Amino acid sequence: MKTTSLLCTLATLASIPLGNAAEPVTLKLWPDGPPTEMVPKSEATIKQIQSYGPITATHVSDVTDPTITIYRPEKPNGTSVVVAPGGGFMFLSYSFEGTQVCEWLNTLGVTAVLLKYRTPTRDEKEPFTMPVEDAQRAMGLIRHHALEWSLDPDRVGLLGFSAGGNLTGHTAWDRGERTYPQKPDLDDPRGPNFIVFVYGGGFLDATDKSQFRPGFSVPADAPPAFFLVAHDDKTNPVEATMLYLEYKKFNIPAEIHIFTKGGHGFGMRRDKNPVNDWPQRCGEWMGSMGYLGAK
């Protein structure tokens, strides 16, 4: 039965329209079920989620069967970007940090892949582990079907906000073994070819914010990065700067933008601050790096 479900999913993957822009297509990441079972939500997590107000169509939680939704532009240039919304590993900010981002990427000719990763995972030993598994599987699927989808397997980016930025960093910088049973045909071992790290965090020491957390370092083979944060976003600008300086130390291509105002969670919102123009700056960086040219 499991083999049948996998074959059906692969048949669906192969049938995604490859010409002009089409309606977004949603696919399960794990047609036989995720490799790891999530622990039940604690009362503390439930109360914390409730403190953010009612879960609406723009906020998604209780994701136990993760998916990707593929947004194809009218004229694909071969580049794809997996979009990971934030939400503190409690929920996903699915609109301002998800669907709207995918629509913007389409205007650049980029095929956007919206990642609905497992959440809440705050009660797990490491809240990012399962979301990172989901991001790895998403990139593996993209590369496995790159020829069918007219995508370049060497131009697969990962763009994450807040907790999605933490997911992005771990996916790009961690160098340990994969944490789930792999299928060689679906789980390409490569990480993202480039990343966009938007007000992400979680890499600093819990007690000494001038140091990275124990065991973490930016590897010398890290992918090119675009860092974006607001000055008035607690310690996140410090963290982004420290990460950028590690990139500079290794002479890895990187760009950093720290806007005076914006706070946390601005996403694609428009509130008349210069930070709202970040998509233009990011698009310029992607163009300068050669990610927007024809495949």
Side-chain angles (χ1 to χ4, degrees), residues 5-21:
S5 66
L6 178 59
L7 291 175
C8 290
T9 299
L10 292 177
T12 303
L13 289 167
S15 67
I16 292 177
L18 300 180
N20 294 334

Side-chain angles (χ1 to χ4, degrees), residues 76-154:
N77 57 27
T79 294
S80 59
V81 170
V82 177
V83 176
F89 294 121
M90 295 180 292
F91 56 84
L92 305 178
S93 182
Y94 214 62
S95 176
F96 292 120
E97 297 177 350
T99 56
Q100 293 182 20
V101 182
C102 292
E103 291 165 359
W104 158 66
L105 286 168
N106 279 177
T107 68
L108 303 179
V110 173
T111 298
V113 181
L114 181 52
L115 177 64
K116 184 187 285 187
Y117 56 87
R118 281 170 282 176
T119 190
T121 56
R122 287 181 70 88
D123 297 309
E124 304 290 341
K125 182 179 179 181
E126 291 283 14
F128 58 81
T129 299
M130 292 182 186
V132 167
E133 289 178 350
D134 296 338
Q136 291 170 335
R137 171 55 66 93
M139 291 187 297
L141 287 172
I142 291 169
R143 290 190 170 109
H144 181 74
H145 293 278
L147 181 62
E148 301 160 42
W149 297 352
S150 298
L151 296 176
D152 187 340
D154 295 321

